[in-house]
Amino acid sequence: MSRRDTKTGYLYVLGAGIIWGSFAPLAKALYALNAPVLSVALLRPALAFFIILIILAYKNKVYLKVSARDLPLMALYGLVGIGLFNLFFLYTIHVTTIITAVFLLYSAPVFVTVISRLAFKEPLAKLKVMALVCSLIGLALLVEVYNPKVLKMSLVGIGTGLAAGLAYALFSIFGKMAMRKYSHWTVLVYALGFGTFFLAFIAAPSLKDLPLTPGVGALLLLTGTVHTLAAYALYVKGLRSVEASRASILTTVEPVVASIIGLAFFSELISPLQALGGGMVILGAILAQIGA
């Protein structure tokens, strides 16, 4: 893998993180329009799946071919990385603030770094550890973990937020495993397909309560095309040339974007310490690239 490929991979991953940064506010907007959590969790990957399925079936069917022996891995990838992740993260957004939900999600770099070390023997270079520590401290400042009011969220919200972080971590790990053999397009379409399949069993009944308004339809289409299909495509493609642990650290730019949008549209004010935390998150992303 050339250094140029690695740098390009960084850009893909960072791009995905920036796009995902606007997803939590978008979900809040959908909830304000009375869209059920389960409906959003199902339709987000479902829209992306049918779009990419149609494109690949028309453009290049070879990306739809997978060995039968690899289907269990693809199914597990979809269940955890798409299905469970969407359920946990969207519920956490619903019961907590935007910034708190994103912070809990970004326990993922810890999970990824540990799992990558055990599964792929990825070295724990000093700069990678520094990037991880810097990112987590920055995130802690961003969400004011020192403020008792912030810590009064429900235990269920904490649990689902950390579960979302673990699911996101496993998304990176399983993706790395699947792309040893398949194109990122193949991995993505099967992950979205299996994720949609599993979510349908849980979330399909909630669709009857979904408001059929132009506003809800437009926001759902945006989440499916941009925040799911485009963002996941960038992230999965980036994983081909970037270590899973470093990719997870790089996407910690997401809470910075979420903080800015939360401030602009939801009046979630940012203190000087939170601004410092945002700077540390960016510094962590830079250190991750330098330590490549």
Side-chain angles (χ1 to χ4, degrees), residues 24-282:
L26 202 64
K28 279 288 190 184
L30 279 166
Y31 299 154
L33 294 174
N34 299 315
V37 175
L38 289 177
S39 293
V40 177
L42 171 60
L43 292 176
R44 180 192 181 195
L47 288 170
F49 168 65
F50 286 113
I51 291 172
I52 191 174
L53 180 64
I54 292 171
I55 292 174
L56 293 182
Y58 177 73
K59 290 286 187 180
N60 200 334
K61 294 181 181 179
V62 70
Y63 288 128
L64 299 177
K65 296 180 180 179
V66 170
S67 171
R69 71 177 67 178
D70 295 321
L71 286 177
L73 173 61
M74 295 295 188
L76 185 61
Y77 190 30
L79 169 63
V80 177
I82 301 295
L84 293 181
F85 168 74
N86 272 284
L87 283 177
F88 291 139
F89 186 46
L90 284 164
Y91 181 78
T92 306
I93 295 171
H94 181 61
V95 299
T96 67
T97 66
I98 292 171
I99 305 252
T100 299
V102 174
F103 168 69
L104 290 171
L105 172 64
Y106 276 84
S107 58
V110 178
F111 292 123
V112 171
T113 299
V114 173
I115 296 173
S116 294
R117 173 62 178 173
L118 297 175
F120 302 115
K121 307 300 181 183
E122 291 184 3
L124 289 177
K126 289 183 179 180
L127 276 178
K128 187 192 295 186
V129 174
M130 287 175 61
L132 179 61
V133 172
C134 189
S135 294
L136 291 179
I137 292 175
L139 287 166
L141 292 175
L142 262 176
V143 299
E144 298 181 290
V145 295
Y146 49 83
N147 187 340
K149 292 182 181 179
V150 176
L151 300 179
K152 287 184 179 179
M153 72 183 80
S154 68
L155 290 177
V156 174
I158 294 174
T160 56
L162 292 175
L166 177 58
Y168 177 48
L170 292 174
F171 178 81
S172 299
I173 300 299
F174 291 150
K176 200 74 172 177
M177 294 171 63
M179 281 185 292
R180 289 174 174 174
K181 187 174 181 180
Y182 296 102
S183 161
H184 68 283
W185 291 117
T186 302
V187 173
L188 182 60
V189 70
Y190 275 88
L192 289 170
F194 278 114
T196 299
F197 175 77
F198 290 123
L199 281 169
F201 286 98
I202 302 172
S206 72
L207 293 177
K208 69 179 185 300
D209 299 319
L210 182 69
L212 300 177
T213 64
V216 170
L219 289 177
L220 285 172
L221 184 62
L222 187 60
T223 64
T225 55
V226 177
H227 296 86
T228 305
L229 182 56
Y232 274 107
L234 287 171
Y235 185 73
V236 173
K237 186 173 179 61
L239 278 179
R240 296 189 70 87
S241 55
V242 177
E243 290 180 0
S245 55
R246 188 167 284 120
S248 182
I249 294 170
L250 284 170
T251 54
T252 52
V253 296
E254 177 180 346
V256 178
V257 177
S259 298
I260 294 172
I261 296 176
L263 171 63
F265 297 99
F266 294 89
S267 300
E268 293 186 1
L269 299 177
I270 299 177
S271 69
L273 280 177
Q274 286 179 299
L276 173 62
M280 292 186 70
V281 170
I282 295 174

Side-chain angles (χ1 to χ4, degrees), residues 2-38:
S2 70
R3 191 168 185 82
R4 182 178 180 180
D5 289 338
T6 301
K7 289 182 177 179
T8 301
Y10 285 140
L11 292 177
Y12 286 136
V13 172
L14 284 170
I18 292 171
I19 293 174
W20 281 330
S22 61
F23 173 67
L26 202 64
K28 279 288 190 184
L30 279 166
Y31 299 154
L33 294 174
N34 299 315
V37 175
L38 289 177

